Amino acid sequence: MAPPDFNPEEVTPRQLTWSRVRVLSFVVVTTGVAGLLMADLLWGMPLAGWAVVVWCLFVVLFALIAFGFAQAWFGYRVRRRGDDQTIDQTLPVDEESVPMASTAIVMPIYNEDVRRVYAGLRATFESVQRTGQGGWFDFFILSDSTDPNRWVEEEMQWVELSRELNARGRLFYRRRRVHVNKKAGNIADFCRRWGRRYRYFVVLDADSVMSGDTLVRLVRMMEVNPKAGLIQTAPQLVRGETLFARVLQFAARLYGPIFREGLNYWQQGEGNYWGHNAIIRTAPFMAHCALPGLPGREPLGGRILSHDFVEAALLRKAGWAVWLWPGATGTYEEGPANVIDYAKRDRRWCQGNLQHFWILIARKLHGVSRVHLTLGIMAYSSSLLWLLSLVLGTLLAIGFNFTGLSWLPMPGLAGAVGVGHKLQMGLLAGFTMVLLFGPKVLAVLDQLRQPEGAKPYGGKRALVKSVLMETLFSVLLAPVLMLFHSHFVVAIMMGRGVQWVTQRRGGDEDATTDWSEARSVLAGHTCTGLIWLGLLIWLAPTLMWWMAPLLIGLIGSIPFAVCSGRIGWGQAAFRRGWFLIPEETNPPSELRDLKRLIAHEHPAIPQVGAGADEGFVCVLLDPYVNAVHRCLLRERKSRAPLFHGYFARLRERVLTEGPQSLSAREKAALLADATSVDELHLAVWLRQPAGMAACWRQWLGAWSPA
């Protein structure tokens, strides 16, 4: 076996420290220079107390921007010279000589589009089979679905897929009876039941697809790195149909590589976990990653919502390395289809990240883990700081106009060397713009240096046009998200939690935004923008031009959300060659398979015309569906008499009044009760028609054996 190009154990603490010192020095120096310029502008301001607040907000926010640029800059430099310190470099030249190990592919799902879930799972399964290493992988669908019809459809799709792929004994389905702790609880349940059978497990999201080659390489990386507890890939957004989703996946695909390389440059084996498309060493995960309960009640206390950051910190605390594979290919997911669904997802992430304050102050955590947790908290808290700084700046400008006071009653240090305050403000603004938009330029330069150049993005002209339009898109989107995130942070701090909802994704046909939805969600944004504009026109007109991007984004948020959330606009952009990504110009086999499977997927349950109750009705009506569902239920050993009466009343209502008389929760309760499933199936076929609702006679007439 040829030696690897890189050995993580040879990276000395001194080398890693110097990488971090370079990044930190860049942030400190750039922030220091900008902070001095800003302090010089503010030091002579009449309202000195407020000037201190403005300066503090500026320094914190500028440091975050500088840190983002630093990651892009060092990532660009690393990619230019060739990165020889990534986890994939630990593999020997003859990779096939590295032995494989038992690995579980686990996919937790919750009320997802069943057809899409199984199409993605099948594409991954078949890709693994093509590697010739399929025998090392088992697949698990771990359901927490509460919708009765999706539950039944999941079961029948599993049976059908197992038969078609000849995967019995390798493809498993389980639905938890008690949905404790959401996704983290589902993974914990898998580990308790099956974890000891597998050396590794790979977590997928419901929309994830991974290539077999990538999965095999991940296993081999873990095998040659016995101290690695987790390797995270960076999944690429794909299958975006709306304009919003297409812009999102274009930006992630073009700008992502330099940021990931910059992230790997300073974190190395002290990285983070993003919750999916990652391989995990099972034994240390089971030993060290049981999630603690947080002090207090939700939303800031109680169960941990964003488990991934915490699990990475616990692995690192126990001495296991957590790696990012920045150059991973063959790993995909789907993004939100519109700005409203994007905000819904961020609402959940915001609460989870703010909870990390409790973990941040825990004892014995690794310092870099604390950095990751802090960055996660600031990802949403910074929006509130931006809003506060803008509001404060507006109020100060209005105050100066009312009082007639001068912003600069005496010259600062810059004035002593002949630099006027207007030039000083221009330098600060230019400095900020470079840090904000410089990474986009670096990403384009990096792509043009690649062997394929701009061809995967439709050519140089299409690439430049797409970048310019994406920049405009980001400018309009930023104030909308700022107001969303600020509202989320304040609501969470006031004790308002979040409900777990199914996400509409970029490839969903029903993911578009209509005018009524946009008005109901974004009316506050529009009103805020109009009131802000009115105050500036009346009281501080000179500030209006500086605030124009913010005001346009807020006032135009409703049409922006509707237009960007439409599939037609996304398709028009595709036809013009805008926002193309390599996965569209040269689709990999897994995505081609996924598209084919979704297009040709057929319903897994008989269609009897029951509409929204199709799955529920088929369990009670169709003998085959009933047998499959019944075999997956566990018998209750004992039950209190009170429950006997409750289920008996529900059964009678279903038969005499029809399924529509029950709530989704009551239907799910019946489907989870083996006795009720048996008795209802017999009653549907044996009871006299006069004793049942008319809908049952209709469905019995429409049913025919498969």
Side-chain angles (χ1 to χ4, degrees):
M1 185 168 66
D5 296 326
F6 168 56
N7 184 353
E9 297 181 15
E10 293 178 358
V11 179
T12 65
R14 183 176 180 181
Q15 287 177 301
L16 190 51
T17 298
W18 271 110
S19 296
R20 292 169 182 170
V21 166
R22 292 185 188 102
V23 174
L24 183 61
S25 298
F26 182 93
V27 175
V28 170
V29 170
T30 53
T31 305
V33 171
L36 287 173
L37 285 172
M38 189 66 171
D40 191 45
L41 275 173
L42 296 174
W43 80 275
M45 203 175 86
L47 303 174
W50 289 112
V52 173
V53 176
V54 171
W55 184 82
C56 290
L57 289 171
F58 173 83
V59 169
V60 172
L61 295 170
F62 196 92
L64 291 174
I65 297 173
F67 181 69
F69 182 88
Q71 287 198 138
W73 170 251
F74 285 102
Y76 172 76
R77 289 186 59 193
V78 166
R79 283 175 61 83
R80 186 170 182 177
R81 72 167 187 256
D83 192 356
D84 58 357
Q85 293 190 352
T86 55
I87 191 64
D88 57 308
Q89 297 295 322
T90 60
L91 287 172
V93 176
D94 50 338
E95 291 183 20
E96 295 182 358
S97 62
V98 179
M100 293 291 293
S102 57
T103 305
I105 311 293
V106 301
M107 179 181 281
I109 58 176
Y110 176 75
N111 292 336
E112 301 284 349
D113 180 352
V114 180
R115 184 176 64 173
R116 167 62 184 87
V117 167
Y118 279 87
L121 192 66
R122 179 168 185 165
T124 301
F125 185 97
E126 292 178 340
S127 182
V128 168
Q129 291 297 101
R130 289 194 291 268
T131 67
Q133 304 293 336
W136 293 101
F137 295 88
D138 288 340
F139 291 75
F140 290 81
I141 303 107
L142 309 175
S143 176
D144 266 349
S145 296
T146 56
D147 184 290
N149 303 291
R150 295 195 181 189
W151 173 9
V152 174
E153 191 177 356
E154 288 166 6
E155 294 175 335
M156 298 310 299
Q157 286 279 12
W158 165 66
V159 171
E160 189 74 10
L161 192 61
S162 298
R163 181 185 62 80
E164 292 179 358
L165 297 176
N166 192 26
R168 292 183 178 89
R170 292 187 53 209
L171 178 60
F172 304 93
Y173 172 86
R174 182 177 186 276
R175 178 185 178 272
R176 287 197 298 169
R177 178 177 291 176
V178 181
H179 315 305
V180 178
N181 213 15
K182 305 300 181 183
K183 180 179 176 180
N186 213 345
I187 296 295
D189 182 77
F190 162 80
C191 289
R192 285 191 296 269
R193 293 176 180 276
W194 297 289
R196 289 176 177 81
R197 300 183 184 181
Y198 302 96
R199 188 177 300 178
Y200 311 114
F201 68 98
V202 177
V203 181
L204 300 183
D205 257 4
D207 59 353
S208 296
V209 175
M210 292 186 73
S211 74
D213 290 334
T214 298
L215 289 167
V216 169
R217 294 197 79 197
L218 282 170
V219 173
R220 286 174 170 156
M221 287 179 209
M222 295 292 273
E223 284 290 285
V224 299
N225 292 279
K227 293 185 178 180
L230 185 149
I231 301 176
Q232 174 70 61
T233 69
Q236 168 57 35
L237 297 177
V238 293
R239 296 190 68 242
E241 294 290 338
T242 64
L243 179 62
F244 183 90
R246 290 191 55 76
V247 174
L248 221 62
Q249 69 186 23
F250 169 81
R253 186 64 174 86
L254 180 62
Y255 310 143
I258 61 173
F259 281 102
R260 292 194 297 269
E261 289 287 359
L263 184 59
N264 183 69
Y265 173 76
W266 66 264
Q267 71 177 21
Q268 291 291 288
E270 295 164 353
N272 208 356
Y273 173 37
W274 302 339
H276 57 92
N277 291 47
I279 188 169
I280 302 171
R281 196 177 296 270
T282 311
F285 185 87
M286 293 174 63
H288 304 292
C289 292
L291 297 178
L294 299 177
R297 301 173 59 183
E298 294 187 15
L300 290 176
R303 63 187 176 91
I304 294 177
L305 198 59
S306 292
H307 57 92
D308 39 15
F309 281 38
V310 181
E311 288 160 348
L314 293 174
L315 278 175
R316 194 68 199 97
K317 177 184 175 183
W320 294 91
V322 178
W323 282 91
L324 169 66
W325 181 12
T329 58
T331 171
Y332 312 104
E333 65 171 334
E334 295 176 19
N338 55 70
V339 67
I340 295 175
D341 286 325
Y342 190 93
K344 289 178 182 177
R345 186 190 68 175
D346 275 5
R347 175 67 178 82
R348 187 173 70 247
W349 287 2
C350 179
Q351 178 176 327
N353 282 15
L354 291 183
Q355 284 182 321
H356 291 165
F357 171 78
W358 294 109
I359 309 299
L360 187 63
I361 60 177
R363 293 182 298 172
K364 298 182 180 180
L365 283 189
H366 194 281
V368 177
S369 296
R370 297 185 197 275
V371 171
H372 288 304
L373 293 168
T374 302
L375 291 174
I377 294 170
M378 292 305 298
Y380 297 97
S381 302
S382 60
S383 289
L384 182 58
L385 299 183
W386 275 112
L387 181 60
L388 290 175
S389 66
L390 291 169
V391 170
L392 185 55
T394 301
L395 293 176
L396 288 174
I398 292 173
F400 284 126
N401 281 357
F402 261 114
T403 61
L405 293 173
S406 170
W407 177 271
L408 295 170
M410 60 184 71
L413 294 176
V417 294
V419 177
H421 69 276
K422 290 185 178 180
L423 176 58
Q424 200 171 349
M425 293 172 67
L427 287 173
L428 269 176
F431 202 8
T432 304
M433 293 300 105
V434 168
L435 296 184
L436 279 174
F437 300 109
K440 299 178 187 290
V441 177
L442 293 175
V444 172
L445 294 176
D446 175 72
Q447 182 59 41
L448 294 177
R449 287 187 63 258
Q450 304 305 314
E452 65 275 18
K455 185 178 179 181
Y457 294 89
K460 289 183 181 180
R461 182 174 296 181
L463 177 61
V464 172
K465 284 183 179 179
S466 298
V467 169
L468 293 175
M469 287 187 288
E470 185 277 330
T471 301
L472 175 61
F473 189 93
S474 300
V475 169
L476 295 175
L477 178 63
V480 178
L481 294 182
M482 177 190 70
L483 218 57
F484 269 132
H485 293 169
S486 299
H487 171 71
F488 297 160
V489 172
V490 172
I492 291 166
M493 297 300 291
M494 295 178 65
R496 292 172 54 189
V498 62
Q499 296 294 322
W500 198 273
V501 296
T502 303
Q503 178 180 309
R504 296 187 299 179
R505 308 183 193 276
D508 293 353
E509 294 180 358
D510 62 343
T512 57
T513 303
D514 58 32
W515 286 99
S516 61
E517 182 183 21
R519 282 194 298 268
S520 64
V521 175
L522 294 164
H525 287 66
T526 304
C527 291
T528 300
L530 289 172
I531 293 171
W532 209 330
L533 175 62
L535 288 173
L536 290 177
I537 292 175
W538 179 31
L539 301 172
T542 56
L543 188 60
M544 182 177 60
W545 305 109
W546 287 90
M547 302 282 285
L550 169 78
L551 298 173
I552 292 172
L554 292 178
I555 294 171
S557 58
I558 292 175
F560 174 80
V562 172
C563 296
S564 65
R566 285 186 170 172
I567 292 178
W569 283 55
Q571 292 174 339
F574 177 77
R575 288 193 297 269
R576 288 169 172 78
W578 300 341
F579 311 120
L580 295 177
I581 60 173
E583 287 73 17
E584 291 174 325
T585 53
N586 185 23
S589 58
E590 292 78 20
L591 295 184
R592 293 198 303 269
D593 291 345
L594 177 63
K595 183 177 181 180
R596 171 180 55 81
L597 291 168
I598 291 175
H600 294 90
E601 195 69 49
H602 59 276
I605 54 178
Q607 302 297 295
V608 296
D613 290 316
E614 200 78 53
F616 179 81
V617 169
C618 282
V619 167
L620 308 184
L621 181 65
D622 188 280
Y624 178 63
V625 177
N626 178 272
V628 170
H629 179 78
R630 180 63 180 80
C631 287
L632 292 171
L633 294 178
R634 289 181 295 167
E635 295 281 359
R636 295 181 184 268
K637 294 181 180 179
S638 61
R639 181 189 295 160
L642 179 65
F643 285 98
H644 284 290
Y646 171 74
F647 281 108
R649 289 191 295 272
L650 289 183
R651 291 194 295 268
E652 191 61 26
R653 282 174 57 193
V654 167
L655 293 171
T656 59
E657 301 176 28
Q660 66 276 6
S661 65
L662 271 64
S663 67
R665 189 172 183 177
E666 290 171 329
K667 293 173 199 172
L670 282 176
L671 289 181
D673 182 59
T675 302
S676 294
V677 171
D678 289 339
E679 293 190 8
L680 283 170
H681 180 57
L682 290 173
V684 165
W685 284 100
L686 299 179
R687 181 177 285 199
Q688 292 296 321
M692 295 197 300
C695 57
W696 286 109
R697 295 192 294 273
Q698 174 186 339
W699 295 331
L700 282 166
W703 178 85
S704 61

Coordinates of all heavy atoms in Angstrom, one line a residue, residues 70-96:
A70 N -11.5 36.9 5.4 CA -10.2 36.1 5.7 C -10.3 34.7 5.3 O -9.4 34.1 4.7 CB -9.9 36.3 7.2
Q71 N -11.5 34.1 5.5 CA -11.7 32.7 5.1 C -11.6 32.5 3.6 O -11.0 31.6 3.1 CB -13.0 32.1 5.7 CG -13.0 31.9 7.2 CD -14.1 30.9 7.6 OE1 -13.9 30.1 8.4 NE2 -15.3 31.1 7.1
A72 N -12.3 33.5 2.9 CA -12.2 33.4 1.5 C -10.8 33.7 0.9 O -10.4 33.0 0.0 CB -13.2 34.5 0.9
W73 N -10.1 34.6 1.5 CA -8.8 34.9 1.0 C -7.8 33.8 1.2 O -7.1 33.4 0.3 CB -8.3 36.2 1.7 CG -6.8 36.5 1.5 CD1 -5.8 36.4 2.4 CD2 -6.2 36.9 0.2 NE1 -4.6 36.7 1.8 CE2 -4.8 37.0 0.5 CE3 -6.7 37.2 -1.0 CZ2 -4.0 37.4 -0.5 CZ3 -5.9 37.6 -2.0 CH2 -4.5 37.7 -1.8
F74 N -7.8 33.2 2.4 CA -6.9 32.1 2.7 C -7.3 30.9 1.9 O -6.4 30.1 1.5 CB -6.7 31.9 4.2 CG -5.9 32.9 4.9 CD1 -6.5 33.9 5.6 CD2 -4.5 32.9 4.8 CE1 -5.7 34.9 6.3 CE2 -3.7 33.8 5.4 CZ -4.4 34.8 6.2
G75 N -8.6 30.7 1.8 CA -9.1 29.6 0.9 C -8.6 29.7 -0.5 O -8.2 28.7 -1.1
Y76 N -8.7 30.9 -1.0 CA -8.2 31.2 -2.4 C -6.8 30.9 -2.5 O -6.3 30.2 -3.5 CB -8.5 32.6 -2.8 CG -8.0 33.1 -4.1 CD1 -8.5 32.7 -5.3 CD2 -6.8 33.9 -4.2 CE1 -8.0 33.0 -6.5 CE2 -6.3 34.3 -5.4 CZ -6.9 33.8 -6.5 OH -6.3 34.2 -7.7
R77 N -6.0 31.3 -1.6 CA -4.5 31.1 -1.6 C -4.2 29.6 -1.5 O -3.3 29.1 -2.3 CB -3.8 31.8 -0.5 CG -3.8 33.3 -0.6 CD -3.0 34.0 0.5 NE -1.6 33.5 0.5 CZ -0.8 33.7 1.4 NH1 -1.1 34.3 2.5 NH2 0.5 33.2 1.4
V78 N -4.9 28.9 -0.7 CA -4.7 27.4 -0.6 C -5.0 26.7 -1.9 O -4.3 25.9 -2.3 CB -5.6 26.9 0.6 CG1 -5.6 25.4 0.6 CG2 -5.0 27.3 2.0
R79 N -6.2 27.1 -2.5 CA -6.5 26.4 -3.7 C -5.6 26.8 -4.8 O -5.3 26.0 -5.8 CB -8.0 26.8 -4.1 CG -9.0 26.1 -3.3 CD -10.4 26.6 -3.6 NE -10.8 26.4 -5.0 CZ -11.3 25.2 -5.5 NH1 -11.4 24.2 -4.7 NH2 -11.6 25.1 -6.7
R80 N -5.0 28.0 -4.8 CA -4.1 28.4 -5.8 C -2.8 27.6 -5.8 O -2.2 27.2 -6.8 CB -3.8 29.9 -5.7 CG -2.9 30.4 -6.8 CD -2.9 31.9 -6.8 NE -2.1 32.4 -7.9 CZ -1.9 33.7 -8.2 NH1 -2.4 34.6 -7.4 NH2 -1.2 34.1 -9.2
R81 N -2.3 27.3 -4.6 CA -1.0 26.5 -4.5 C -1.3 25.0 -4.4 O -0.3 24.2 -4.5 CB -0.2 27.0 -3.3 CG -0.8 26.6 -1.9 CD 0.2 26.8 -0.8 NE -0.3 26.3 0.5 CZ -0.8 27.0 1.5 NH1 -0.9 28.3 1.3 NH2 -1.3 26.4 2.6
G82 N -2.5 24.6 -4.1 CA -2.9 23.2 -4.0 C -2.8 22.8 -2.5 O -1.8 22.9 -1.9
D83 N -4.0 22.4 -2.0 CA -4.1 22.1 -0.6 C -3.6 20.7 -0.4 O -4.1 19.7 -0.9 CB -5.5 22.2 -0.1 CG -5.6 22.2 1.4 OD1 -4.6 22.0 2.1 OD2 -6.8 22.4 1.9
D84 N -2.6 20.5 0.5 CA -2.1 19.2 0.8 C -2.4 18.8 2.2 O -1.8 17.8 2.7 CB -0.5 19.1 0.5 CG 0.2 20.2 1.4 OD1 -0.5 20.9 2.1 OD2 1.4 20.2 1.3
Q85 N -3.3 19.5 2.9 CA -3.7 19.2 4.2 C -5.2 19.0 4.4 O -5.8 19.6 5.3 CB -3.1 20.2 5.2 CG -1.6 20.2 5.3 CD -1.1 21.1 6.4 OE1 -1.8 21.8 7.1 NE2 0.2 21.0 6.7
T86 N -5.8 18.2 3.5 CA -7.2 17.9 3.6 C -7.3 16.4 3.9 O -6.3 15.6 3.7 CB -7.9 18.2 2.3 OG1 -7.3 17.5 1.2 CG2 -7.9 19.7 2.1
I87 N -8.4 16.0 4.5 CA -8.5 14.6 5.0 C -8.4 13.6 3.9 O -8.0 12.4 4.1 CB -9.8 14.5 5.8 CG1 -9.9 13.1 6.6 CG2 -11.0 14.6 4.9 CD1 -8.8 13.0 7.6
D88 N -8.8 13.9 2.7 CA -8.8 13.0 1.6 C -7.3 12.7 1.2 O -7.0 11.7 0.5 CB -9.6 13.4 0.4 CG -9.1 14.8 -0.1 OD1 -9.1 15.7 0.7 OD2 -8.9 14.9 -1.3
Q89 N -6.4 13.6 1.5 CA -5.0 13.4 1.2 C -4.4 12.2 2.1 O -3.2 11.8 1.8 CB -4.2 14.6 1.4 CG -4.6 15.8 0.5 CD -4.3 15.5 -1.0 OE1 -3.3 14.9 -1.3 NE2 -5.2 15.9 -1.8
T90 N -5.1 11.8 3.1 CA -4.6 10.7 3.9 C -4.7 9.3 3.2 O -4.1 8.3 3.7 CB -5.3 10.6 5.2 OG1 -6.7 10.4 5.0 CG2 -5.1 11.9 6.0
L91 N -5.5 9.3 2.2 CA -5.7 8.0 1.4 C -4.5 7.7 0.6 O -3.9 8.6 0.0 CB -6.9 8.1 0.5 CG -8.3 8.0 1.2 CD1 -9.4 8.3 0.2 CD2 -8.5 6.7 1.9
P92 N -4.0 6.4 0.6 CA -2.9 6.1 -0.2 C -3.2 6.2 -1.7 O -4.4 6.3 -2.1 CB -2.6 4.7 0.2 CG -3.9 4.1 0.7 CD -4.6 5.3 1.3
V93 N -2.2 6.1 -2.5 CA -2.4 6.2 -4.0 C -3.3 5.0 -4.4 O -4.2 5.2 -5.2 CB -1.1 6.2 -4.7 CG1 -1.3 6.1 -6.2 CG2 -0.2 7.4 -4.3
D94 N -3.0 3.8 -3.9 CA -3.9 2.7 -4.3 C -5.0 2.5 -3.2 O -4.9 1.7 -2.3 CB -3.0 1.4 -4.3 CG -2.2 1.2 -3.1 OD1 -1.9 2.2 -2.4 OD2 -1.8 0.1 -2.8
E95 N -6.0 3.4 -3.4 CA -7.1 3.4 -2.4 C -7.8 2.1 -2.2 O -8.2 1.8 -1.1 CB -8.1 4.5 -2.8 CG -7.7 5.9 -2.8 CD -8.8 6.9 -3.2 OE1 -10.0 6.4 -3.1 OE2 -8.5 8.0 -3.5
E96 N -7.9 1.3 -3.3 CA -8.6 0.1 -3.2 C -8.0 -0.9 -2.2 O -8.6 -1.9 -1.8 CB -8.8 -0.5 -4.6 CG -9.6 0.3 -5.5 CD -9.8 -0.3 -6.9 OE1 -9.2 -1.4 -7.1 OE2 -10.5 0.2 -7.7

